[in-house]
Amino acid sequence: MMRQWREVLSEVAGFMYKSKKLKISKEEYEGILSEHNLKAPQEVVDKKTFRQRSLLTRTAEGFHFSHKSFYEYFMAYRFFFHCGEVESLLDMDFALQLYDELYLAYVSGKGNEHFGIDAVPVDAVAHCLYNIGCGLQEINRFSKAEEKYEEALKKFLQLEANTLGTYQPDLAMTLNNLAVLHKNTGKHDKAEKEYEEALETYRALASSTPDAYLPDL
């Protein structure tokens, strides 16, 4: 039951994130509950399972999280499992901190034991690291962005070694963004090396699929 409610409230947080409003209407909330075959929360949740009623506050307009930290907690899970949702990371410091904890648990093999994280595909983790790096770069958190890009690059290199070609676009894209970051932070030697590696990869991609990759080249 606890994991099910975590998934429900993670979806609620994701809805708020996408709508850019820290609230959800009663109808939208009940729609999410229905998808999980749950009834109204007061009918199925008690204090011994998951204190959902202390996390969400009901108002005349619908529901909102009782505290922003609850919202960010569930967004950390959203970021880990739904990498494509990562956009603005402004005012998301707590979510980023929790995401780092989830990632450390994942790489140590203790994700399921402590955080309820089942096996997450490596490519999903790599794309999430990349997207979070982009979000951090946009808000000028350069050292943290660099850390995420470099972790993503390691994952993409690992994946590419096993698939031979599938992850070349991801490698080139990550190298390019790292080069931009290093150029903007005065690390020109690193930037030059990364631009050259990205360029080499885009040349290979453009030679076989010019319509798709000539613009990047």
Side-chain angles (χ1 to χ4, degrees):
M1 176 67 80
M2 182 178 287
R3 179 171 293 196
Q4 188 176 22
W5 276 104
R6 179 187 287 148
E7 291 172 359
V8 166
L9 294 173
S10 175
E11 286 190 35
V12 170
F15 177 90
M16 294 176 178
Y17 184 74
K18 285 181 246 183
S19 65
K20 298 180 171 60
K21 296 178 182 177
L22 295 181
K23 61 183 178 181
I24 185 171
S25 73
K26 177 177 178 290
E27 293 74 22
E28 290 158 341
Y29 179 52
E30 289 180 347
I32 292 174
L33 290 177
S34 177
E35 289 173 5
H36 289 264
N37 297 315
L38 293 172
K39 297 180 182 178
Q42 61 268 26
E43 296 178 21
V44 295
V45 180
D46 59 44
K47 293 180 181 179
K48 293 180 181 178
T49 54
F50 196 91
R51 298 190 63 183
Q52 185 267 349
R53 281 173 287 181
S54 68
L55 298 178
L56 282 181
T57 298
R58 183 168 183 173
T59 67
E61 296 179 346
F63 294 87
H64 62 81
F65 282 100
S66 304
H67 193 275
K68 187 171 179 287
S69 62
F70 299 150
Y71 163 71
E72 293 192 51
Y73 169 85
F74 291 107
M75 282 311 302
Y77 275 88
R78 294 297 298 182
F79 290 159
F80 200 86
F81 288 104
H82 302 276
C83 60
E85 289 184 6
V86 180
E87 293 179 0
S88 173
L89 294 177
L90 279 171
D91 300 321
M92 297 289 283
D93 287 351
F94 188 52
L96 290 166
Q97 176 187 329
L98 289 171
Y99 172 82
D100 286 345
E101 291 181 23
L102 292 175
Y103 180 72
L104 287 173
Y106 168 80
V107 296
S108 68
K110 297 178 180 179
N112 191 45
E113 177 184 354
H114 295 294
F115 293 98
I117 301 173
D118 296 318
V120 181
V122 176
D123 63 338
V125 175
H127 283 111
C128 190
L129 287 163
Y130 171 83
N131 288 342
I132 287 181
C134 291
L136 288 164
Q137 189 171 359
E138 287 180 2
I139 58 174
N140 300 326
R141 301 274 290 277
F142 296 127
S143 61
K144 293 295 291 182
E146 180 181 33
E147 174 188 304
K148 296 295 183 289
Y149 281 143
E150 288 178 347
E151 282 293 312
L153 191 62
K154 288 178 189 176
K155 298 289 183 192
F156 285 133
L157 285 167
Q158 173 189 339
L159 289 161
E160 177 61 18
N162 295 324
T163 58
L164 299 177
T166 304
Y167 293 94
Q168 280 192 344
D170 299 299
L171 282 170
M173 184 172 58
T174 307
L175 284 163
N176 181 77
N177 277 31
L178 260 176
V180 172
L181 186 151
H182 286 143
K183 174 179 70 72
N184 291 339
T185 54
K187 299 178 181 179
H188 298 131
D189 289 344
K190 283 188 174 183
E192 182 179 18
K193 180 175 181 293
E194 289 151 359
Y195 275 135
E196 287 176 347
E197 290 180 14
L199 186 62
E200 181 180 348
T201 305
Y202 278 129
R203 278 201 181 105
L205 289 164
S207 67
S208 58
T209 319
D211 288 348
Y213 295 107
L214 272 176
D216 297 305
L217 179 59

